[in-house]
Amino acid sequence: MVYPTPPAMLLARDLRPADLDHDLPGALLRTYAWMFAARTADNRILELFRQGLIRGTVTGGQGNEGLIVPLALLADKAVDVISITHRGLGAHLIWSGHLVDHLNQYFANAASPTQAREGNVHHGDPKNRSLPMISHLGIMVSNVLGATDSQRRSGRPAMGFAFIGDGSSSTGDVHESLNLASVLGLPILFVIENNRYAYSTPVSEQYAPGLELWRRAAGYGIEGFALDCTGDLAVILKSFAAAIDTVRRTGRPLLIEAQTLRLRGHAAYDTCDYLKPGESDAFFAADPLPKLRARLLQEGHEGPVGALEAEIAAFIEACLRIALAQPRPGPAGMADGLFAPPLPVAWVPSLDSAPPGPTPRTEVLTMAQALNRALRKILTEVPAALVLGQDIATYGGAFKVTEDLFRDFGRPRVMNLPLAESASTGYAIGLAVNGHRPIEEFQFADFSTEATTQIVLNAATFHFRSGARVPLVLRLPCGGGLTFGSFHSEELESFFLAMPGLKALYPSNPQDAFNALLAAFEDGNPVLLFEHKGLYRRGKEAVTWDPAFRAVWQPACVRPGDFATFVTYGEAVHLAREVCEYFAAEYERQFELWDLRGLSPLRLDAIKESLVRTGRLIVLHEGRRTHGFGAELVARLTEEHFASLVAPPLRLGALDLPVPFAPELEAAFRPTRDKVIAAVANWLG
Ligand SMILES: Cc1ncc(C[n+]2csc(CCOP(=O)(O)OP(=O)(O)O)c2C)c(N)n1
Ligand SMILES: [Mg+2]
């Protein structure tokens, strides 16, 4: 399909600071052309929405062009990073792609950048470092930090553009990201688009009256200033150009609070009845577009302005005709779009990256040490790999899993991060999307709930909605039994895996842990690695390079048996082994014990075969029973082979309570050897 050729004025997508000095009228004319294109496209999109030809919602950028167009023109689109918000169609048009591509997105056509899996302005162009937005405001800011840092690590003189509304300035992620950019020293231009409203909420209800948001910069130790983006475009262009130069040159963040406008209310459906009398008229009076037009006419550009307006309007209509006739999407291939294909590494076939000798090198290691060896191997063999988390550098992590890595690999490959799980995870996502391969340690799995949106809505959906991959390993020290109480003992597999797009491994021994970390790392998707704290130092076992390490995605048969199929994972494998031994000795019943290992995707074929043989199913896990992972396991295992069951399945887990603190209470809460034996004996009848 040949798309219409854009008008000559829209072929140039850049403005350089020198252009402002040498040919200011030309620069203003080009800025006007793009502002006019963005406005006209936004207006037409609104009309088409009202005609029912666009679904979802339409949040226009009308009034924001004086901010977004200059910035997008001045950015270096060959290296910089951006995440455009719901007021930034102008930036999308300038950054990359053809207008038809962007219209395809609005119409949810088959050829849309998101394959119609996302709507409205929720697209980006990750290959060109435009990171797509999700609805959750504030979340993308840290992604910009990560991708910009990735660019810089690769030696490119990049900077990032992060947009924040007056409303989203209140989110935790924005605060976390401003602090993170400052402490890491990242070249990010933070731009607050202050249009005085968040949906219907005026700024007086968003932050204390009289405050100016740009003054927050000082609190983060960065520069900041205010800029009226409804005013003189020459001033706006020069101010932005100077700010961009400062950020690129200093490598430090900078915060601009830009006064801007939201001429059409929050979205197409907004009644705007919360506006004070005359307020809307005042907005339109401040509109930068007619003001710039009047200036250009006054300066004698009537001819070019009229010509470019006619050309742009005709171009937009031609593009709309094409986009309206594009094929609709179909579901074929949708299910395969959840995960990206693996990113295999050509590993040195040895435990420690040394050339392999005639006999494979073996070390007797705890699980914590096995994980440390795997991290060391990854950092040695994959330059794009990096390890991030709290207290993981000199201290070696709360459980010493990263011990000595900082000493041997140094910063920035082994990096402490501030206490900000959400922005840290968003930063890791940004690094991953741009080609780095971060491994993030959460100090305790419990604290990953702070990053829930980043994990389950952003990272997990990224590939599905954009086609980009997010090779990210999230290490989660989990589980109880150590008298740590409710907030340091959680089992979160059901919580996270209720949402699509995450893979998960849960090893039960040192060799599997070593294998699981390598397998998770080369999967090329967001992978949760559950590490039970009780297993870190449970004992030492021989660990070696295992050419079949990817088999850790499959369940392992720990003990053969014919009477019942017993499925579990993590620390409970050890408990289950004792239970199996007890029933073999006391009841002469042999249970076939399976260690699940891979929790997502679930590979249950071998266990199903076992169940067909035994006809009896026991599922055990440490987490709570209600909505526990066992519910899914029992359902999946029995729905196909229901007829071969000779007994109802037995599902064992913890009580439906917060994890209690005292050892006596925790023992009553968790499955223990005696309780499991009693439950199984009762089930046997
Ligand atoms: C975290 C979050 N909460 C609520 C919403 C719903 N919502 C969508 S836009 C919006 C207002 C945003 O205001 P602001 O940040 O000022 O940006 P503006 O729309 O004014 O450009 C709200 C509340 C959201 N998208 N994200
Ligand atoms: Mg706002």
Side-chain angles (χ1 to χ4, degrees), residues 302-320:
E302 194 163 349
V305 167
L308 72 82
E309 285 176 348
E311 262 192 280
I312 290 170
F315 169 67
I316 291 174
E317 292 312 312
C319 291
L320 277 170

Side-chain angles (χ1 to χ4, degrees), residues 441-453:
E441 173 176 306
F442 287 88
Q443 197 152 82
F444 285 77
D446 311 65
F447 301 118
S448 64
T449 60
E450 293 287 296
T452 306
T453 305

Side-chain angles (χ1 to χ4, degrees), residues 497 502-506 526-530 553 597-601:
L497 297 178
L502 296 168
K503 295 197 177 182
L505 289 161
Y506 199 151
V527 184
L528 307 175
L529 184 62
F530 292 104
W553 287 108
R597 306 197 293 187
L599 271 51
S600 171

